[in-house]
mmCIF file with all atom_site columns, all heavy atoms in Angstrom:
data_model
loop_
_atom_site.group_PDB
_atom_site.id
_atom_site.type_symbol
_atom_site.label_atom_id
_atom_site.label_alt_id
_atom_site.label_comp_id
_atom_site.label_asym_id
_atom_site.label_entity_id
_atom_site.label_seq_id
_atom_site.pdbx_PDB_ins_code
_atom_site.Cartn_x
_atom_site.Cartn_y
_atom_site.Cartn_z
_atom_site.occupancy
_atom_site.B_iso_or_equiv
_atom_site.pdbx_formal_charge
_atom_site.auth_seq_id
_atom_site.auth_comp_id
_atom_site.auth_asym_id
_atom_site.auth_atom_id
_atom_site.pdbx_PDB_model_num
ATOM 1   N N   . ILE A 1 1  ? -4.491  -10.026 -0.060 1.00 0.00 ? 1  ILE A N   1
ATOM 2   C CA  . ILE A 1 1  ? -3.668  -8.985  0.547  1.00 0.00 ? 1  ILE A CA  1
ATOM 3   C C   . ILE A 1 1  ? -3.354  -7.891  -0.464 1.00 0.00 ? 1  ILE A C   1
ATOM 4   O O   . ILE A 1 1  ? -3.432  -6.695  -0.163 1.00 0.00 ? 1  ILE A O   1
ATOM 5   C CB  . ILE A 1 1  ? -2.376  -9.596  1.125  1.00 0.00 ? 1  ILE A CB  1
ATOM 6   C CG1 . ILE A 1 1  ? -2.707  -10.523 2.295  1.00 0.00 ? 1  ILE A CG1 1
ATOM 7   C CG2 . ILE A 1 1  ? -1.402  -8.507  1.554  1.00 0.00 ? 1  ILE A CG2 1
ATOM 8   C CD1 . ILE A 1 1  ? -1.528  -11.306 2.822  1.00 0.00 ? 1  ILE A CD1 1
ATOM 9   N N   . ARG A 1 2  ? -3.013  -8.292  -1.702 1.00 0.00 ? 2  ARG A N   1
ATOM 10  C CA  . ARG A 1 2  ? -2.719  -7.305  -2.737 1.00 0.00 ? 2  ARG A CA  1
ATOM 11  C C   . ARG A 1 2  ? -3.915  -6.400  -2.993 1.00 0.00 ? 2  ARG A C   1
ATOM 12  O O   . ARG A 1 2  ? -3.780  -5.172  -3.084 1.00 0.00 ? 2  ARG A O   1
ATOM 13  C CB  . ARG A 1 2  ? -2.308  -8.006  -4.044 1.00 0.00 ? 2  ARG A CB  1
ATOM 14  C CG  . ARG A 1 2  ? -1.864  -7.003  -5.127 1.00 0.00 ? 2  ARG A CG  1
ATOM 15  C CD  . ARG A 1 2  ? -1.976  -7.594  -6.516 1.00 0.00 ? 2  ARG A CD  1
ATOM 16  N NE  . ARG A 1 2  ? -3.367  -7.827  -6.907 1.00 0.00 ? 2  ARG A NE  1
ATOM 17  C CZ  . ARG A 1 2  ? -4.212  -6.882  -7.320 1.00 0.00 ? 2  ARG A CZ  1
ATOM 18  N NH1 . ARG A 1 2  ? -3.830  -5.615  -7.373 1.00 0.00 ? 2  ARG A NH1 1
ATOM 19  N NH2 . ARG A 1 2  ? -5.455  -7.186  -7.666 1.00 0.00 ? 2  ARG A NH2 1
ATOM 20  N N   . THR A 1 3  ? -5.103  -6.994  -3.105 1.00 0.00 ? 3  THR A N   1
ATOM 21  C CA  . THR A 1 3  ? -6.316  -6.226  -3.378 1.00 0.00 ? 3  THR A CA  1
ATOM 22  C C   . THR A 1 3  ? -6.602  -5.230  -2.256 1.00 0.00 ? 3  THR A C   1
ATOM 23  O O   . THR A 1 3  ? -6.996  -4.086  -2.504 1.00 0.00 ? 3  THR A O   1
ATOM 24  C CB  . THR A 1 3  ? -7.512  -7.168  -3.565 1.00 0.00 ? 3  THR A CB  1
ATOM 25  O OG1 . THR A 1 3  ? -7.246  -8.062  -4.659 1.00 0.00 ? 3  THR A OG1 1
ATOM 26  C CG2 . THR A 1 3  ? -8.780  -6.388  -3.856 1.00 0.00 ? 3  THR A CG2 1
ATOM 27  N N   . ALA A 1 4  ? -6.401  -5.658  -1.006 1.00 0.00 ? 4  ALA A N   1
ATOM 28  C CA  . ALA A 1 4  ? -6.650  -4.778  0.135  1.00 0.00 ? 4  ALA A CA  1
ATOM 29  C C   . ALA A 1 4  ? -5.689  -3.594  0.140  1.00 0.00 ? 4  ALA A C   1
ATOM 30  O O   . ALA A 1 4  ? -6.091  -2.443  0.359  1.00 0.00 ? 4  ALA A O   1
ATOM 31  C CB  . ALA A 1 4  ? -6.526  -5.567  1.441  1.00 0.00 ? 4  ALA A CB  1
ATOM 32  N N   . TRP A 1 5  ? -4.406  -3.871  -0.132 1.00 0.00 ? 5  TRP A N   1
ATOM 33  C CA  . TRP A 1 5  ? -3.436  -2.779  -0.162 1.00 0.00 ? 5  TRP A CA  1
ATOM 34  C C   . TRP A 1 5  ? -3.661  -1.861  -1.355 1.00 0.00 ? 5  TRP A C   1
ATOM 35  O O   . TRP A 1 5  ? -3.463  -0.645  -1.272 1.00 0.00 ? 5  TRP A O   1
ATOM 36  C CB  . TRP A 1 5  ? -2.011  -3.332  -0.181 1.00 0.00 ? 5  TRP A CB  1
ATOM 37  C CG  . TRP A 1 5  ? -1.505  -3.704  1.175  1.00 0.00 ? 5  TRP A CG  1
ATOM 38  C CD1 . TRP A 1 5  ? -1.289  -4.960  1.658  1.00 0.00 ? 5  TRP A CD1 1
ATOM 39  C CD2 . TRP A 1 5  ? -1.167  -2.804  2.238  1.00 0.00 ? 5  TRP A CD2 1
ATOM 40  N NE1 . TRP A 1 5  ? -0.829  -4.913  2.957  1.00 0.00 ? 5  TRP A NE1 1
ATOM 41  C CE2 . TRP A 1 5  ? -0.747  -3.598  3.331  1.00 0.00 ? 5  TRP A CE2 1
ATOM 42  C CE3 . TRP A 1 5  ? -1.181  -1.419  2.375  1.00 0.00 ? 5  TRP A CE3 1
ATOM 43  C CZ2 . TRP A 1 5  ? -0.342  -3.035  4.537  1.00 0.00 ? 5  TRP A CZ2 1
ATOM 44  C CZ3 . TRP A 1 5  ? -0.780  -0.867  3.580  1.00 0.00 ? 5  TRP A CZ3 1
ATOM 45  C CH2 . TRP A 1 5  ? -0.366  -1.663  4.645  1.00 0.00 ? 5  TRP A CH2 1
ATOM 46  N N   . ALA A 1 6  ? -4.086  -2.434  -2.484 1.00 0.00 ? 6  ALA A N   1
ATOM 47  C CA  . ALA A 1 6  ? -4.361  -1.614  -3.664 1.00 0.00 ? 6  ALA A CA  1
ATOM 48  C C   . ALA A 1 6  ? -5.465  -0.608  -3.374 1.00 0.00 ? 6  ALA A C   1
ATOM 49  O O   . ALA A 1 6  ? -5.369  0.575   -3.731 1.00 0.00 ? 6  ALA A O   1
ATOM 50  C CB  . ALA A 1 6  ? -4.746  -2.518  -4.841 1.00 0.00 ? 6  ALA A CB  1
ATOM 51  N N   . ARG A 1 7  ? -6.529  -1.068  -2.728 1.00 0.00 ? 7  ARG A N   1
ATOM 52  C CA  . ARG A 1 7  ? -7.634  -0.164  -2.380 1.00 0.00 ? 7  ARG A CA  1
ATOM 53  C C   . ARG A 1 7  ? -7.166  0.898   -1.395 1.00 0.00 ? 7  ARG A C   1
ATOM 54  O O   . ARG A 1 7  ? -7.528  2.075   -1.509 1.00 0.00 ? 7  ARG A O   1
ATOM 55  C CB  . ARG A 1 7  ? -8.796  -0.969  -1.807 1.00 0.00 ? 7  ARG A CB  1
ATOM 56  C CG  . ARG A 1 7  ? -10.026 -0.121  -1.483 1.00 0.00 ? 7  ARG A CG  1
ATOM 57  C CD  . ARG A 1 7  ? -11.241 -1.001  -1.229 1.00 0.00 ? 7  ARG A CD  1
ATOM 58  N NE  . ARG A 1 7  ? -12.422 -0.190  -0.979 1.00 0.00 ? 7  ARG A NE  1
ATOM 59  C CZ  . ARG A 1 7  ? -12.977 -0.042  0.228  1.00 0.00 ? 7  ARG A CZ  1
ATOM 60  N NH1 . ARG A 1 7  ? -12.467 -0.675  1.277  1.00 0.00 ? 7  ARG A NH1 1
ATOM 61  N NH2 . ARG A 1 7  ? -14.040 0.711   0.384  1.00 0.00 ? 7  ARG A NH2 1
ATOM 62  N N   . HIS A 1 8  ? -6.364  0.486   -0.421 1.00 0.00 ? 8  HIS A N   1
ATOM 63  C CA  . HIS A 1 8  ? -5.848  1.441   0.549  1.00 0.00 ? 8  HIS A CA  1
ATOM 64  C C   . HIS A 1 8  ? -5.007  2.511   -0.141 1.00 0.00 ? 8  HIS A C   1
ATOM 65  O O   . HIS A 1 8  ? -5.146  3.708   0.153  1.00 0.00 ? 8  HIS A O   1
ATOM 66  C CB  . HIS A 1 8  ? -5.010  0.727   1.610  1.00 0.00 ? 8  HIS A CB  1
ATOM 67  C CG  . HIS A 1 8  ? -4.335  1.660   2.571  1.00 0.00 ? 8  HIS A CG  1
ATOM 68  N ND1 . HIS A 1 8  ? -3.036  2.087   2.391  1.00 0.00 ? 8  HIS A ND1 1
ATOM 69  C CD2 . HIS A 1 8  ? -4.790  2.287   3.683  1.00 0.00 ? 8  HIS A CD2 1
ATOM 70  C CE1 . HIS A 1 8  ? -2.726  2.919   3.372  1.00 0.00 ? 8  HIS A CE1 1
ATOM 71  N NE2 . HIS A 1 8  ? -3.761  3.064   4.165  1.00 0.00 ? 8  HIS A NE2 1
ATOM 72  N N   . GLU A 1 9  ? -4.138  2.106   -1.064 1.00 0.00 ? 9  GLU A N   1
ATOM 73  C CA  . GLU A 1 9  ? -3.313  3.078   -1.774 1.00 0.00 ? 9  GLU A CA  1
ATOM 74  C C   . GLU A 1 9  ? -4.172  4.087   -2.531 1.00 0.00 ? 9  GLU A C   1
ATOM 75  O O   . GLU A 1 9  ? -3.910  5.298   -2.487 1.00 0.00 ? 9  GLU A O   1
ATOM 76  C CB  . GLU A 1 9  ? -2.384  2.354   -2.755 1.00 0.00 ? 9  GLU A CB  1
ATOM 77  C CG  . GLU A 1 9  ? -1.266  1.587   -2.072 1.00 0.00 ? 9  GLU A CG  1
ATOM 78  C CD  . GLU A 1 9  ? -0.487  0.732   -3.051 1.00 0.00 ? 9  GLU A CD  1
ATOM 79  O OE1 . GLU A 1 9  ? -0.718  0.848   -4.275 1.00 0.00 ? 9  GLU A OE1 1
ATOM 80  O OE2 . GLU A 1 9  ? 0.348   -0.065  -2.597 1.00 0.00 ? 9  GLU A OE2 1
ATOM 81  N N   . ARG A 1 10 ? -5.197  3.593   -3.226 1.00 0.00 ? 10 ARG A N   1
ATOM 82  C CA  . ARG A 1 10 ? -6.030  4.495   -4.024 1.00 0.00 ? 10 ARG A CA  1
ATOM 83  C C   . ARG A 1 10 ? -6.784  5.483   -3.161 1.00 0.00 ? 10 ARG A C   1
ATOM 84  O O   . ARG A 1 10 ? -7.015  6.642   -3.570 1.00 0.00 ? 10 ARG A O   1
ATOM 85  C CB  . ARG A 1 10 ? -7.005  3.674   -4.874 1.00 0.00 ? 10 ARG A CB  1
ATOM 86  C CG  . ARG A 1 10 ? -6.324  2.861   -5.975 1.00 0.00 ? 10 ARG A CG  1
ATOM 87  C CD  . ARG A 1 10 ? -7.332  2.290   -6.952 1.00 0.00 ? 10 ARG A CD  1
ATOM 88  N NE  . ARG A 1 10 ? -8.258  1.356   -6.328 1.00 0.00 ? 10 ARG A NE  1
ATOM 89  C CZ  . ARG A 1 10 ? -8.066  0.036   -6.249 1.00 0.00 ? 10 ARG A CZ  1
ATOM 90  N NH1 . ARG A 1 10 ? -6.935  -0.498  -6.721 1.00 0.00 ? 10 ARG A NH1 1
ATOM 91  N NH2 . ARG A 1 10 ? -8.964  -0.749  -5.698 1.00 0.00 ? 10 ARG A NH2 1
ATOM 92  N N   . LEU A 1 11 ? -7.198  5.075   -1.960 1.00 0.00 ? 11 LEU A N   1
ATOM 93  C CA  . LEU A 1 11 ? -7.923  5.978   -1.075 1.00 0.00 ? 11 LEU A CA  1
ATOM 94  C C   . LEU A 1 11 ? -6.979  6.858   -0.251 1.00 0.00 ? 11 LEU A C   1
ATOM 95  O O   . LEU A 1 11 ? -7.395  7.890   0.276  1.00 0.00 ? 11 LEU A O   1
ATOM 96  C CB  . LEU A 1 11 ? -8.842  5.179   -0.142 1.00 0.00 ? 11 LEU A CB  1
ATOM 97  C CG  . LEU A 1 11 ? -10.012 4.465   -0.829 1.00 0.00 ? 11 LEU A CG  1
ATOM 98  C CD1 . LEU A 1 11 ? -10.832 3.673   0.191  1.00 0.00 ? 11 LEU A CD1 1
ATOM 99  C CD2 . LEU A 1 11 ? -10.905 5.466   -1.557 1.00 0.00 ? 11 LEU A CD2 1
ATOM 100 N N   . ALA A 1 12 ? -5.729  6.438   -0.141 1.00 0.00 ? 12 ALA A N   1
ATOM 101 C CA  . ALA A 1 12 ? -4.754  7.231   0.607  1.00 0.00 ? 12 ALA A CA  1
ATOM 102 C C   . ALA A 1 12 ? -4.268  8.421   -0.200 1.00 0.00 ? 12 ALA A C   1
ATOM 103 O O   . ALA A 1 12 ? -4.085  9.521   0.342  1.00 0.00 ? 12 ALA A O   1
ATOM 104 C CB  . ALA A 1 12 ? -3.573  6.353   1.011  1.00 0.00 ? 12 ALA A CB  1
ATOM 105 N N   . ALA A 1 13 ? -4.062  8.217   -1.505 1.00 0.00 ? 13 ALA A N   1
ATOM 106 C CA  . ALA A 1 13 ? -3.526  9.300   -2.336 1.00 0.00 ? 13 ALA A CA  1
ATOM 107 C C   . ALA A 1 13 ? -3.650  8.926   -3.801 1.00 0.00 ? 13 ALA A C   1
ATOM 108 O O   . ALA A 1 13 ? -3.633  7.744   -4.152 1.00 0.00 ? 13 ALA A O   1
ATOM 109 C CB  . ALA A 1 13 ? -2.057  9.556   -1.998 1.00 0.00 ? 13 ALA A CB  1
ATOM 110 N N   . SER A 1 14 ? -3.736  9.934   -4.641 1.00 0.00 ? 14 SER A N   1
ATOM 111 C CA  . SER A 1 14 ? -3.679  9.719   -6.086 1.00 0.00 ? 14 SER A CA  1
ATOM 112 C C   . SER A 1 14 ? -2.212  9.658   -6.500 1.00 0.00 ? 14 SER A C   1
ATOM 113 O O   . SER A 1 14 ? -1.320  10.101  -5.762 1.00 0.00 ? 14 SER A O   1
ATOM 114 C CB  . SER A 1 14 ? -4.379  10.860  -6.822 1.00 0.00 ? 14 SER A CB  1
ATOM 115 O OG  . SER A 1 14 ? -3.624  12.056  -6.676 1.00 0.00 ? 14 SER A OG  1
ATOM 116 N N   . PRO A 1 15 ? -1.911  9.136   -7.697 1.00 0.00 ? 15 PRO A N   1
ATOM 117 C CA  . PRO A 1 15 ? -0.517  9.160   -8.161 1.00 0.00 ? 15 PRO A CA  1
ATOM 118 C C   . PRO A 1 15 ? 0.074   10.569  -8.179 1.00 0.00 ? 15 PRO A C   1
ATOM 119 O O   . PRO A 1 15 ? 1.263   10.751  -7.892 1.00 0.00 ? 15 PRO A O   1
ATOM 120 C CB  . PRO A 1 15 ? -0.617  8.563   -9.571 1.00 0.00 ? 15 PRO A CB  1
ATOM 121 C CG  . PRO A 1 15 ? -1.813  7.666   -9.510 1.00 0.00 ? 15 PRO A CG  1
ATOM 122 C CD  . PRO A 1 15 ? -2.790  8.383   -8.619 1.00 0.00 ? 15 PRO A CD  1
ATOM 123 N N   . GLY A 1 16 ? -0.761  11.573  -8.498 1.00 0.00 ? 16 GLY A N   1
ATOM 124 C CA  . GLY A 1 16 ? -0.274  12.944  -8.492 1.00 0.00 ? 16 GLY A CA  1
ATOM 125 C C   . GLY A 1 16 ? 0.135   13.408  -7.102 1.00 0.00 ? 16 GLY A C   1
ATOM 126 O O   . GLY A 1 16 ? 1.124   14.128  -6.939 1.00 0.00 ? 16 GLY A O   1
ATOM 127 N N   . THR A 1 17 ? -0.619  12.992  -6.100 1.00 0.00 ? 17 THR A N   1
ATOM 128 C CA  . THR A 1 17 ? -0.268  13.345  -4.722 1.00 0.00 ? 17 THR A CA  1
ATOM 129 C C   . THR A 1 17 ? 1.015   12.650  -4.302 1.00 0.00 ? 17 THR A C   1
ATOM 130 O O   . THR A 1 17 ? 1.857   13.233  -3.617 1.00 0.00 ? 17 THR A O   1
ATOM 131 C CB  . THR A 1 17 ? -1.412  12.970  -3.767 1.00 0.00 ? 17 THR A CB  1
ATOM 132 O OG1 . THR A 1 17 ? -2.581  13.712  -4.124 1.00 0.00 ? 17 THR A OG1 1
ATOM 133 C CG2 . THR A 1 17 ? -1.045  13.273  -2.324 1.00 0.00 ? 17 THR A CG2 1
ATOM 134 N N   . VAL A 1 18 ? 1.172   11.396  -4.702 1.00 0.00 ? 18 VAL A N   1
ATOM 135 C CA  . VAL A 1 18 ? 2.412   10.673  -4.422 1.00 0.00 ? 18 VAL A CA  1
ATOM 136 C C   . VAL A 1 18 ? 3.596   11.426  -5.025 1.00 0.00 ? 18 VAL A C   1
ATOM 137 O O   . VAL A 1 18 ? 4.631   11.609  -4.374 1.00 0.00 ? 18 VAL A O   1
ATOM 138 C CB  . VAL A 1 18 ? 2.354   9.236   -4.972 1.00 0.00 ? 18 VAL A CB  1
ATOM 139 C CG1 . VAL A 1 18 ? 3.694   8.524   -4.781 1.00 0.00 ? 18 VAL A CG1 1
ATOM 140 C CG2 . VAL A 1 18 ? 1.251   8.446   -4.287 1.00 0.00 ? 18 VAL A CG2 1
ATOM 141 N N   . ALA A 1 19 ? 3.445   11.881  -6.257 1.00 0.00 ? 19 ALA A N   1
ATOM 142 C CA  . ALA A 1 19 ? 4.513   12.613  -6.929 1.00 0.00 ? 19 ALA A CA  1
ATOM 143 C C   . ALA A 1 19 ? 4.832   13.924  -6.217 1.00 0.00 ? 19 ALA A C   1
ATOM 144 O O   . ALA A 1 19 ? 5.968   14.406  -6.271 1.00 0.00 ? 19 ALA A O   1
ATOM 145 C CB  . ALA A 1 19 ? 4.112   12.891  -8.378 1.00 0.00 ? 19 ALA A CB  1
ATOM 146 N N   . MET A 1 20 ? 3.852   14.495  -5.544 1.00 0.00 ? 20 MET A N   1
ATOM 147 C CA  . MET A 1 20 ? 4.025   15.777  -4.867 1.00 0.00 ? 20 MET A CA  1
ATOM 148 C C   . MET A 1 20 ? 4.623   15.604  -3.465 1.00 0.00 ? 20 MET A C   1
ATOM 149 O O   . MET A 1 20 ? 5.480   16.379  -3.040 1.00 0.00 ? 20 MET A O   1
ATOM 150 C CB  . MET A 1 20 ? 2.656   16.475  -4.770 1.00 0.00 ? 20 MET A CB  1
ATOM 151 C CG  . MET A 1 20 ? 2.693   17.888  -4.257 1.00 0.00 ? 20 MET A CG  1
ATOM 152 S SD  . MET A 1 20 ? 1.094   18.733  -4.486 1.00 0.00 ? 20 MET A SD  1
ATOM 153 C CE  . MET A 1 20 ? -0.044  17.618  -3.635 1.00 0.00 ? 20 MET A CE  1
ATOM 154 N N   . VAL A 1 21 ? 4.179   14.571  -2.741 1.00 0.00 ? 21 VAL A N   1
ATOM 155 C CA  . VAL A 1 21 ? 4.553   14.408  -1.331 1.00 0.00 ? 21 VAL A CA  1
ATOM 156 C C   . VAL A 1 21 ? 5.828   13.591  -1.155 1.00 0.00 ? 21 VAL A C   1
ATOM 157 O O   . VAL A 1 21 ? 6.680   13.932  -0.324 1.00 0.00 ? 21 VAL A O   1
ATOM 158 C CB  . VAL A 1 21 ? 3.398   13.759  -0.549 1.00 0.00 ? 21 VAL A CB  1
ATOM 159 C CG1 . VAL A 1 21 ? 3.824   13.440  0.880  1.00 0.00 ? 21 VAL A CG1 1
ATOM 160 C CG2 . VAL A 1 21 ? 2.169   14.666  -0.551 1.00 0.00 ? 21 VAL A CG2 1
ATOM 161 N N   . LEU A 1 22 ? 5.981   12.520  -1.910 1.00 0.00 ? 22 LEU A N   1
ATOM 162 C CA  . LEU A 1 22 ? 7.085   11.603  -1.667 1.00 0.00 ? 22 LEU A CA  1
ATOM 163 C C   . LEU A 1 22 ? 8.464   12.249  -1.789 1.00 0.00 ? 22 LEU A C   1
ATOM 164 O O   . LEU A 1 22 ? 9.345   11.969  -0.965 1.00 0.00 ? 22 LEU A O   1
ATOM 165 C CB  . LEU A 1 22 ? 6.971   10.390  -2.597 1.00 0.00 ? 22 LEU A CB  1
ATOM 166 C CG  . LEU A 1 22 ? 7.859   9.186   -2.277 1.00 0.00 ? 22 LEU A CG  1
ATOM 167 C CD1 . LEU A 1 22 ? 7.720   8.775   -0.824 1.00 0.00 ? 22 LEU A CD1 1
ATOM 168 C CD2 . LEU A 1 22 ? 7.522   8.017   -3.203 1.00 0.00 ? 22 LEU A CD2 1
ATOM 169 N N   . PRO A 1 23 ? 8.702   13.122  -2.773 1.00 0.00 ? 23 PRO A N   1
ATOM 170 C CA  . PRO A 1 23 ? 10.024  13.772  -2.814 1.00 0.00 ? 23 PRO A CA  1
ATOM 171 C C   . PRO A 1 23 ? 10.336  14.570  -1.553 1.00 0.00 ? 23 PRO A C   1
ATOM 172 O O   . PRO A 1 23 ? 11.492  14.630  -1.117 1.00 0.00 ? 23 PRO A O   1
ATOM 173 C CB  . PRO A 1 23 ? 9.920   14.695  -4.042 1.00 0.00 ? 23 PRO A CB  1
ATOM 174 C CG  . PRO A 1 23 ? 8.926   14.028  -4.922 1.00 0.00 ? 23 PRO A CG  1
ATOM 175 C CD  . PRO A 1 23 ? 7.901   13.459  -3.977 1.00 0.00 ? 23 PRO A CD  1
ATOM 176 N N   . LEU A 1 24 ? 9.315   15.169  -0.946 1.00 0.00 ? 24 LEU A N   1
ATOM 177 C CA  . LEU A 1 24 ? 9.539   15.898  0.305  1.00 0.00 ? 24 LEU A CA  1
ATOM 178 C C   . LEU A 1 24 ? 9.978   14.951  1.410  1.00 0.00 ? 24 LEU A C   1
ATOM 179 O O   . LEU A 1 24 ? 10.862  15.269  2.209  1.00 0.00 ? 24 LEU A O   1
ATOM 180 C CB  . LEU A 1 24 ? 8.258   16.626  0.727  1.00 0.00 ? 24 LEU A CB  1
ATOM 181 C CG  . LEU A 1 24 ? 7.781   17.770  -0.161 1.00 0.00 ? 24 LEU A CG  1
ATOM 182 C CD1 . LEU A 1 24 ? 6.510   18.375  0.419  1.00 0.00 ? 24 LEU A CD1 1
ATOM 183 C CD2 . LEU A 1 24 ? 8.852   18.832  -0.289 1.00 0.00 ? 24 LEU A CD2 1
ATOM 184 N N   . VAL A 1 25 ? 9.338   13.783  1.465  1.00 0.00 ? 25 VAL A N   1
ATOM 185 C CA  . VAL A 1 25 ? 9.690   12.795  2.483  1.00 0.00 ? 25 VAL A CA  1
ATOM 186 C C   . VAL A 1 25 ? 11.140  12.354  2.310  1.00 0.00 ? 25 VAL A C   1
ATOM 187 O O   . VAL A 1 25 ? 11.898  12.238  3.287  1.00 0.00 ? 25 VAL A O   1
ATOM 188 C CB  . VAL A 1 25 ? 8.737   11.585  2.403  1.00 0.00 ? 25 VAL A CB  1
ATOM 189 C CG1 . VAL A 1 25 ? 9.164   10.495  3.377  1.00 0.00 ? 25 VAL A CG1 1
ATOM 190 C CG2 . VAL A 1 25 ? 7.301   12.008  2.678  1.00 0.00 ? 25 VAL A CG2 1
ATOM 191 N N   . LEU A 1 26 ? 11.545  12.099  1.073  1.00 0.00 ? 26 LEU A N   1
ATOM 192 C CA  . LEU A 1 26 ? 12.891  11.600  0.808  1.00 0.00 ? 26 LEU A CA  1
ATOM 193 C C   . LEU A 1 26 ? 13.963  12.656  1.088  1.00 0.00 ? 26 LEU A C   1
ATOM 194 O O   . LEU A 1 26 ? 15.112  12.316  1.388  1.00 0.00 ? 26 LEU A O   1
ATOM 195 C CB  . LEU A 1 26 ? 12.994  11.122  -0.640 1.00 0.00 ? 26 LEU A CB  1
ATOM 196 C CG  . LEU A 1 26 ? 12.089  9.947   -1.019 1.00 0.00 ? 26 LEU A CG  1
ATOM 197 C CD1 . LEU A 1 26 ? 12.301  9.562   -2.472 1.00 0.00 ? 26 LEU A CD1 1
ATOM 198 C CD2 . LEU A 1 26 ? 12.338  8.747   -0.117 1.00 0.00 ? 26 LEU A CD2 1
ATOM 199 N N   . LYS A 1 27 ? 13.616  13.932  0.991  1.00 0.00 ? 27 LYS A N   1
ATOM 200 C CA  . LYS A 1 27 ? 14.581  15.005  1.238  1.00 0.00 ? 27 LYS A CA  1
ATOM 201 C C   . LYS A 1 27 ? 14.699  15.355  2.720  1.00 0.00 ? 27 LYS A C   1
ATOM 202 O O   . LYS A 1 27 ? 15.625  16.065  3.119  1.00 0.00 ? 27 LYS A O   1
ATOM 203 C CB  . LYS A 1 27 ? 14.182  16.262  0.455  1.00 0.00 ? 27 LYS A CB  1
ATOM 204 C CG  . LYS A 1 27 ? 14.315  16.115  -1.051 1.00 0.00 ? 27 LYS A CG  1
ATOM 205 C CD  . LYS A 1 27 ? 13.797  17.362  -1.763 1.00 0.00 ? 27 LYS A CD  1
ATOM 206 C CE  . LYS A 1 27 ? 13.855  17.200  -3.272 1.00 0.00 ? 27 LYS A CE  1
ATOM 207 N NZ  . LYS A 1 27 ? 13.276  18.374  -3.980 1.00 0.00 ? 27 LYS A NZ  1
#
């Protein structure tokens, strides 16, 4: 399960994209 979610995370967004999008979601 961890491996499957890890791959999904990497294909969903890069860490830089997470840093860019997530603050908008939280606000």
